[in-house]
Structure formats: C-alpha cells, structure tokens
Amino acid sequence: DNQPPTLVGSGARMHRTGTGNVNVSSGVNLLPTSVFSATVENTEDIVPDVTNGRFTVSIDGWYDIDFRSKTSSFTDGNVNGSSTAPVPPFPFHLVLYKNGTVDRYIGDVVRHYIYDVADDYYDAICPDAIAGSASVYLQEDDYVEIGYDANTSKTGMLTGEAAGVQTYFAITLANRSLA
C-alpha cells in the first residue's frame, strides 16, 4: 500500500482573498492578525496558522520563504508644496521573524516614485506590491512569520484581491538536514 501523498514535496501557502485594506503601525511589527484568509495548500509536515500568519515546521532543514502583498492604491502624497494628501510610509521594509524574534530584513525597501512636478510640489506614488524572499534554517517546532519596519503609520497600506493570487505567504523545504 504505497499510495503517494496528494501533495508531493514539502511546503505550504496561505493567501489573502479579502479586499479590505490593512493598517500598519510605525516601527518594527509583525503583520496584524487575520491578514490571511485561508491555506491554499500544505503538506502534513508544516502547520499553518492563518490567523497569526505563521508556519511551524516538523522537519529540520533549509526552507525557502516567499511573501508578497498587494498595496492599497494610495498614489497621491505631498513631498514639497501645497497638497495636504498623506505621504505613504517610506521607507517600508519587510522583516522575517523566526520563533517570535526578528531574524532578518528581506526584499528591498519600498520607496516612493516621483511622477510629476507641478505647482512647486512633487506627487509620490507607491509600488503596486511589496515582496521578499529568504532561505532560513529551521528545526522541528520552529516557526516563521512576516513583519515590517515602517517609519510612520499608514491607514490601509496592505490589501488583497478576491482571487488570492497577489497577497500570499509561502514556505518550501529546500533540503532536509542530514544531521
């Protein structure tokens, strides 16, 4: 009775199908609870906690982590001049947490882009998404979460879309430890 598992390999992915915007606070923080909506797929060796955005592993080894989030459409912000629109938080870095502690910063800093110079002020536009990936060594019962470091709070910074393909958090066992 050597029936292969439904999912081959070792990995898991959760995604956000909600289209409501998620606020961020200034400083270094974990993502707020309930950012993710559901687990898309996962193998039995990885336990997803969708509410807290956490993956716990049961096999020692190197894991590849991927995170991507669609950002809300805040495209107008004053940099220098008369506009009173809020400026998106810059810089905004993604942070990988391991067992509740900051492990490292991942991805690139989110920066604003200047697209117009008029009436002595610049408008700032934010990228449509932020993403980061890393490889991390985990042992049995270790867990990983995603966080961020923002220089200011922002109402409605992160979002999702109904299909759940633009905002996700994934983990894959790259290679098992032989130790």
Side-chain angles (χ1 to χ4, degrees), residues 25-44:
S25 301
S26 64
V28 181
N29 301 282
L30 285 168
L31 287 179
T33 58
S34 301
V35 166
F36 300 102
S37 307
T39 301
V40 181
E41 60 259 319
N42 76 282
T43 54
E44 292 179 10

Side-chain angles (χ1 to χ4, degrees), residues 90 98 135 151 177:
F90 298 112
K98 178 179 173 181
S135 293
N151 72 334
S177 176

Side-chain angles (χ1 to χ4, degrees), residues 114-134:
I114 304 304
Y115 71 91
D116 189 19
V117 179
D119 299 322
D120 195 29
Y121 73 91
Y122 297 88
D123 282 337
I125 186 167
C126 179
D128 185 51
I130 56 173
S133 61

Side-chain angles (χ1 to χ4, degrees), residues 18-177:
T19 57
N21 294 337
V22 177
N23 301 336
V24 298
S25 301
S26 64
V28 181
N29 301 282
L30 285 168
L31 287 179
T33 58
S34 301
V35 166
F36 300 102
S37 307
T39 301
V40 181
E41 60 259 319
N42 76 282
T43 54
E44 292 179 10
D45 58 307
I46 297 175
V47 178
D49 176 349
V50 174
T51 301
N52 293 305
R54 175 184 298 171
F55 290 116
T56 304
V57 302
S58 63
I59 297 173
D60 295 0
W62 282 96
Y63 287 83
D64 292 330
I65 307 296
D66 292 304
F67 173 79
R68 183 188 193 278
S69 178
K70 180 175 174 53
T71 58
S72 61
S73 59
F74 51 92
T75 57
D76 190 33
N78 175 278
V79 175
N80 178 19
S82 60
S83 173
T84 58
V87 175
F90 298 112
F92 182 91
H93 302 269
L94 292 175
V95 177
L96 176 65
Y97 281 76
K98 178 179 173 181
N99 298 325
T101 304
V102 172
D103 184 67
R104 71 188 86 165
Y105 284 50
I106 62 173
D108 195 10
V109 62
V110 175
R111 298 179 183 89
H112 65 270
Y113 297 93
I114 304 304
Y115 71 91
D116 189 19
V117 179
D119 299 322
D120 195 29
Y121 73 91
Y122 297 88
D123 282 337
I125 186 167
C126 179
D128 185 51
I130 56 173
S133 61
S135 293
V136 61
Y137 185 78
L138 300 173
Q139 295 179 303
E140 183 178 1
D141 296 326
D142 282 351
Y143 63 92
V144 289
E145 301 161 297
I146 296 293
Y148 60 87
D149 182 358
N151 72 334
T152 188
S153 298
K154 172 65 180 153
T155 302
M157 168 82 179
L158 307 174
T159 191
E161 40 64 57
V165 297
Q166 293 193 42
T167 299
Y168 58 86
F169 180 26
I171 183 170
T172 306
L173 176 62
N175 77 13
R176 185 179 191 133
S177 176

